[in-house]
């Protein structure tokens, strides 16, 4: 998967959106539900903010229209955040917990291949990172993303 991520909240201060590559895996437990895992990496503003998002959860297909299947996601994950501070410039690094909500649709091209679109909201719980000079930095916020997905079933 590949898409655009826009940070907000404390981690989004003075940071623009960025393109983010990702990977996902889904295990279908039934025609409606599947378990998913997803990882995303984003590098904002030439290293001013770097995030690696790892989430797991449940995906539910709402209905099937021929080969089109809209879905919703709900899950939780670990978010590895590196945030550059100003005066003096240092890196604050913290791993925080958060939750993930999403919606989208998959289109079956063949029995094995699919493409789709996905909209995500990742909400990071607050945490405090301490830099090398013992400066305390608040790590909290939210990431919103829109992704193009492609997959192979096996």
């Amino acid at each position: 998967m590949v898409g655009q991520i826009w940070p907000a909240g404390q981690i989004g201060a003075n940071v623009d959106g960025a393109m983010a590559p990702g990977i996902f895996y889904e295990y279908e437990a039934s025609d409606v539900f599947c378990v998913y895992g997803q990882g995303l990496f984003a590098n904002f503003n030439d290293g001013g903010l770097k995030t690696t998002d790892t989430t797991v959860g449940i995906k539910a297909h709402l209905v099937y229209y021929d080969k089109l299947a809209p879905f919703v996601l709900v899950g939780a994950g670990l978010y590895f955040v590196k945030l550059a501070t100003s005066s003096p410039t240092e890196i604050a690094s913290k791993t925080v917990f958060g939750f993930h909500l999403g919606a989208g649709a998959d289109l079956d091209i063949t029995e094995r291949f699919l493409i789709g679109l996905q909209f995500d909201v990742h909400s990071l719980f607050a945490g405090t990172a301490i830099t090398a000079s013992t400066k305390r930095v608040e790590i909290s916020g939210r990431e919103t993303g829109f992704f193009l997905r492609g997959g192979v079933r096996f």
Side-chain angles (χ1 to χ4, degrees), residues 1-8 11 15-22 38-44 49 51-53 120 122 142-147:
M1 60 195 290
V2 66
Q4 180 79 19
I5 293 181
W6 299 275
I11 63 169
V15 178
D16 294 330
M19 292 299 290
Q38 153 177 317
L40 298 170
F41 174 76
N43 187 2
F44 303 89
L49 172 65
T51 62
T52 303
D53 307 345
D120 287 347
H122 298 264
R142 165 179 74 258
E143 294 176 342
T144 305
F146 191 71
F147 298 93

Side-chain angles (χ1 to χ4, degrees), residues 55 75-79 96-100 122-125:
T55 56
L78 292 175
Y79 299 87
V96 294
F97 185 74
F99 67 89
H100 171 226
H122 298 264
S123 183
L124 285 63
F125 294 169

Side-chain angles (χ1 to χ4, degrees), residues 10-103:
Q10 194 280 329
I11 63 169
N14 302 319
V15 178
D16 294 330
M19 292 299 290
I23 189 166
F24 67 94
Y25 177 81
E26 298 173 353
Y27 175 77
E28 291 189 11
S30 70
D31 285 339
V32 177
F33 295 105
C34 67
V35 177
Y36 76 90
Q38 153 177 317
L40 298 170
F41 174 76
N43 187 2
F44 303 89
N45 284 13
D46 301 323
L49 172 65
K50 292 181 183 180
T51 62
T52 303
D53 307 345
T54 57
T55 56
V56 294
I58 295 175
K59 174 181 171 183
H61 289 105
L62 302 174
V63 67
Y64 287 93
Y65 297 108
D66 194 21
K67 297 184 180 286
L68 182 68
F71 62 84
V72 293
L73 305 165
V74 63
L78 292 175
Y79 299 87
F80 306 92
V81 180
K82 291 184 179 182
L83 181 64
T85 63
S86 59
S87 56
T89 302
E90 295 181 294
I91 300 295
S93 177
K94 182 76 173 175
T95 301
V96 294
F97 185 74
F99 67 89
H100 171 226
L101 299 172

